[in-house]
Amino acid sequence: MAEKSIRFGVLGCAEIARKVSRAIILSPNSTLYAVGSRSIDKASRFASANGFPPSVKIYGSYEAVLDDPDVDAVYVPLPTSLHVRWAILAAEKKKHVLLEKPVALNVAQFDLIVEACESNGVQFMDGTMWMHHPRTAKMREFLSDKQRFGQLKSMHTCFTFGADPDFLKNDIRVKPDLDALGALGDAGWYCIRSILWAADYELPKTVTALREPVLNEVGVILSCGSSLHWEDGKVATFQCSFLSNLTMDITAIGTKGALHLHDFVIPFQEKEASFSAASESGFTELVTGWVPIPSEHTVMTDLPQEVLMVREFASLVRSIKENGSKPEQKWPILSRKTQLVLDAVKASIDRGFEAVEVQY
């Protein structure tokens, strides 16, 4: 096993931090070094409840984690409204930044984060875990195959889950001062990223939000959708919601084939994930079935996708530390494109569902 060389500090005790802290521990090239919260009691309870090794340092402030000279990188699962402050400060303290999504409240804030990371030579990556699953690479091979899939024509994606009454009243994702983007930021981020992924990260020309989004009493989005349009005629739609049954679907349709999956954000199982691929589909002679029937593909992995994310991030950090490499620019570019589209959807909602141009 490789040396656990990259030492992570975790800023905050959000629910998602439980999962990513576990991933840091399981990753072969990282170690969970410190956790900080606004009180040392909360940080201690968090560490104890999640069975952290006794070697993990416990801090009663975020600043203390950033001031620890032995912390190489930080994972930041704080509310979106706090990202710009703490991600910038982390970069200024020369800590590499693994930041939860959505990365910011708007692209202007995100640009400040990227500027801080670039000027301090630290790696940035957002926490979109499914990007690192080997299934994603396999699906990319199919979408890139001109003989089997052809040219992308349309993309439809959905991420919804049924939040309980406590969530809808108290969770940070429904609070305008903490996560003002609500379901659009939390679930819509994944939908937008998947659409861009299928389109090989070509930005749409225009975005038009679907009418009748559901807002709570303080104006935070609980459910919404949007259509996206490209100059070459490609179209996409997505729906995201805190108010519907758990659904994580992707349908990508090309001129010669189609891709389907039903668990793109979090696979049904940690160590395997499947997708369906169809090529040159048609009906039987009596129109009683399909020929050929879509094929099912299962991709195995020894490590969960969040561990693979941490491993990739830690590998980039290690290369910077030990080899003097430049930070990988792919990840902030993908984050920025996702944020640009998200901003456009929000602008379309705010402007009465008019079409909004997306400009890089």
Side-chain angles (χ1 to χ4, degrees):
M1 181 176 290
E3 178 187 359
K4 289 182 173 287
S5 59
I6 302 305
R7 294 161 295 194
F8 276 81
V10 176
L11 303 188
C13 302
E15 184 69 17
I16 189 64
R18 298 179 58 224
K19 183 174 183 176
V20 178
S21 295
R22 169 180 175 257
I24 293 168
I25 292 170
L26 292 176
S27 177
N29 60 350
S30 67
T31 187
L32 183 60
Y33 184 82
V35 60
S37 184
R38 288 172 294 175
S39 76
I40 199 162
D41 287 343
K42 185 176 181 182
S44 296
R45 290 195 302 270
F46 182 75
S48 176
N50 289 285
F52 290 172
S55 59
V56 175
K57 290 190 175 182
I58 309 298
Y59 289 116
S61 70
Y62 307 142
E63 293 95 333
V65 176
L66 299 180
D67 286 336
D68 189 322
D70 292 325
V71 170
D72 298 310
V74 290
Y75 167 60
V76 184
L78 298 172
T80 309
S81 62
L82 301 179
H83 284 187
V84 67
R85 175 186 176 186
W86 291 105
I88 288 175
L89 185 57
E92 291 173 346
K93 298 281 188 176
K94 309 297 184 183
K95 312 300 185 188
H96 303 269
V97 179
L98 179 59
L99 184 64
E100 258 313 317
K101 32 58 54 190
V103 290
L105 293 175
N106 53 61
V107 77
Q109 284 190 358
F110 180 63
D111 285 346
L112 295 175
I113 294 172
V114 173
E115 181 183 356
C117 291
E118 289 181 348
S119 61
N120 287 282
V122 299
Q123 182 65 52
F124 174 89
M125 182 186 285
D126 73 48
T128 310
M129 301 172 188
W130 72 269
M131 296 286 297
H132 303 269
H133 198 290
R135 173 178 63 176
T136 305
K138 279 293 181 184
M139 294 190 298
R140 177 78 261 160
E141 290 178 9
F142 176 67
L143 294 183
S144 300
D145 190 325
K146 299 303 182 184
Q147 298 304 312
R148 292 190 296 161
F149 183 75
Q151 179 184 358
L152 179 68
K153 300 299 288 184
S154 64
M155 172 80 172
H156 310 281
T157 182
C158 179
F159 180 18
T160 66
F161 59 89
D164 61 30
D166 181 68
F167 178 106
L168 294 174
K169 181 179 180 181
N170 298 312
D171 194 89
I172 64 170
R173 287 165 282 185
V174 299
K175 303 290 186 180
D177 57 330
L178 296 175
D179 268 297
L181 296 170
L184 175 59
D186 185 53
W189 175 275
Y190 291 102
C191 297
I192 292 167
R193 174 62 64 81
S194 70
I195 291 169
L196 291 174
W197 166 79
D200 205 17
Y201 301 105
E202 177 191 354
L203 285 169
K205 179 176 175 58
T206 60
V207 166
T208 307
L210 304 183
R211 293 182 178 275
E212 308 301 334
V214 179
L215 311 180
N216 66 9
E217 64 275 8
V218 289
V220 176
I221 297 168
L222 301 181
S223 179
C224 71
S226 182
S227 61
L228 294 77
H229 307 264
W230 283 259
E231 287 186 333
D232 66 357
K234 287 194 299 290
V235 295
T237 61
F238 77 84
Q239 181 72 27
C240 59
S241 178
F242 294 154
L243 304 175
S244 303
N245 191 63
L246 181 62
T247 303
M248 301 177 176
D249 284 0
I250 284 177
T251 298
I253 306 170
T255 51
K256 294 186 176 182
L259 170 80
H260 299 274
L261 66 155
H262 303 294
D263 59 348
F264 83 97
V265 179
I266 300 172
F268 296 136
Q269 301 179 61
E270 275 198 331
K271 294 195 173 182
E272 65 177 65
S274 301
F275 66 95
S276 169
S279 293
E280 301 288 357
S281 302
F283 295 120
T284 58
E285 184 182 357
L286 289 178
V287 196
T288 55
W290 288 42
V291 285
I293 294 173
S295 55
E296 292 290 332
H297 303 266
T298 299
V299 181
M300 308 299 294
T301 177
D302 291 333
L303 296 174
Q305 60 183 11
E306 62 270 19
V307 180
L308 296 172
M309 175 184 72
V310 170
R311 187 178 70 178
E312 167 69 8
F313 179 76
S315 177
L316 294 172
V317 172
R318 185 171 184 176
S319 183
I320 294 168
K321 284 188 60 179
E322 298 184 359
N323 304 325
S325 302
K326 298 291 185 182
E328 172 59 64
Q329 292 302 303
K330 166 188 173 181
W331 297 110
I333 288 172
L334 299 190
S335 298
R336 190 174 195 274
K337 287 186 174 185
T338 310
Q339 187 74 48
L340 279 169
V341 177
L342 194 154
D343 287 3
V345 176
K346 182 64 165 59
S348 181
I349 293 172
D350 293 342
R351 297 175 191 174
F353 315 104
E354 70 177 45
V356 173
E357 288 197 12
V358 181
Q359 297 180 341
Y360 194 73

